[in-house]
Amino acid sequence: MSDRADAIVVGGGVQGLATAVQLLDNGVEDVRLLERDALCSGTSAAGAGFVGLWAMAPPYDERELAVERYGIDYYRRLQERALDIGFAQNGLLFVAADEPTWNTVEGTWRLRDHLDRVTAARPGADPEPVEVSAERVEELTGGTVLARGVHRGAFQAAAAQVFAPKVGTALATRFVEDGGKIDARRPVTRLTVEDGRVRGVETPSGRVESDTVIVVAGAWTNELLRPLGIYLPFVPLLTSRIITEPLDVPVDMPVTFLVGVSPTMPLLWLRSHEGALLWGGVYLDAPREALVDSTELPERFDEIPIDGVQQCVRIAEQVSAYVPALARYRSMKLKHGAPCYTPDHRALVGAVPGVDGLWVLAGDNEAGLTHGPGFAKALADHIVRGDSELADLAAWRVDRFDGRYRTDEEVADAVRAALTDQAEGKERPLGPPTAVR
Ligand SMILES: Cc1cc2nc3c(=O)[nH]c(=O)nc-3n(C[C@H](O)[C@H](O)[C@H](O)COP(=O)(O)OP(=O)(O)OC[C@H]3O[C@@H](n4cnc5c(N)ncnc54)[C@H](O)[C@@H]3O)c2cc1C
């Protein structure tokens, strides 16, 4: 008996689920989502849930801004549909401990340019990011960040937050309610391609046929594409989320980024999660690059070394001088994920060249919760109608690097260089990589 679908989505993380929902919204009747494990058991399980207007930092521009605004609206509507996703529009606060860091924040995040661009793009739409004093930082965070350790900050009121696991559940509910079909714990073992056209997928319990297959398999995307001789230039970099026991952290505090807290940690982030502290840091040492050029990715991230988390804990001890909750917690729940970074920090969204009917949404650059709904809409619109009023996919074209990157290590070199430039407040020209061999 033949098992057929009008479209198959491979991967049941937030971005795969969002894509599946958008296909239904576009009138595709029979959409099948295949997930190897439980839904949202990959990187989506670990997401911190910040839904920001990241387009104020290079290389993002108006195109990502449109996708980000869409994401915030989308999550608001999802919550209004009585699907609790922990949506709150508490804003986003960048905090610099000293003046040199503040100058870097201003330079890197182009606060003033952003303000001009945002106002020009949609006058009056987003409350502007405003510069705030140390005292105002303490007030906005309800005393979670004390003025005494802070130079100043920048506050963006339009930003929102969600709880990633709840987003997964809500999207799955919507998808099934609207007629979609989910096969969980059914891995795709092979993409079937004949005469340059996708024909479906193989699974241990048989083939599913379709002329449209969208691979949204996060860090594992290249594993599925490799047998077709295709390598997408992204590198999975491990990072972790920590949730403490309830500590009375004000639920209305903004998502807070402590910038430049240490030379080994450019960013420590925190927010309230139902009164507990949800936090983490961008650690640069092991195990961040443990999956680079890995021939066999682990199917789950629950056994990765916790050296990076220990580094977060050490830095947090220093920061606790002005964030007292970081000295008060006694318990930690950990989740690890592997966001996938591209050489130019932009996502990979669109048709896979050389294989008709095969599409991809990958290279999330640790922003897939924010960008997922918008990219999913733009991608589904293109698949069904050939264009999208939300966004043209040109900026995220899958083949834009023209084969310049052939290994994870080459991509990782480019990502490291971009991070160093960002830490120094330099805007990085998006030219060819330094690491082409
Ligand atoms: C600590 C941390 C903090 C973060 N914070 C934020 C944030 O604040 N804001 C933000 O926007 N983003 C954030 N992110 C990034 C965000 O979580 C990711 O961008 C997003 O979850 C990626 O979703 P995805 O669906 O692309 O990938 P995944 O969630 O990894 O989903 C891919 C799915 O594909 C499945 N799969 C793999 N291979 C197969 C196969 N062969 N067959 C079937 N299924 C398969 C996997 O099991 C997995 O479920 C954070 C990530 C981490 C780790």
Side-chain angles (χ1 to χ4, degrees), residues 10-16 34-37 41-44 46-50 186-188 216-218 220 224 239-241 269 337 339 364 366-370:
V10 184
V14 163
Q15 298 206 101
L34 296 178
E35 164 55 46
R36 177 185 58 202
D37 201 327
S41 52
T43 296
S44 296
F50 311 158
R186 188 173 184 194
V188 168
V216 198
W220 300 273
L224 283 164
T239 185
S240 310
R241 182 191 71 204
W269 38 266
D364 63 288
E366 209 168 332
L369 275 164
T370 304

Side-chain angles (χ1 to χ4, degrees), residues 51-111:
V51 188
L53 295 171
W54 313 122
M56 64 179 169
Y60 293 166
D61 60 22
E62 288 71 20
R63 290 169 285 192
E64 276 84 8
L65 191 59
V67 166
E68 290 160 3
R69 287 189 176 125
Y70 181 85
I72 294 173
D73 284 350
Y74 186 86
Y75 287 130
R76 183 187 297 107
R77 283 185 273 121
L78 200 58
Q79 175 101 2
E80 282 168 4
R81 202 172 144 163
L83 295 168
D84 177 30
I85 54 167
F87 179 86
Q89 203 161 11
N90 294 350
L92 173 65
L93 181 63
F94 294 90
V95 177
D98 52 32
E99 189 162 4
T101 308
W102 170 249
N103 292 337
T104 311
V105 171
E106 256 203 313
T108 308
W109 294 89
R110 292 197 310 212
L111 289 172

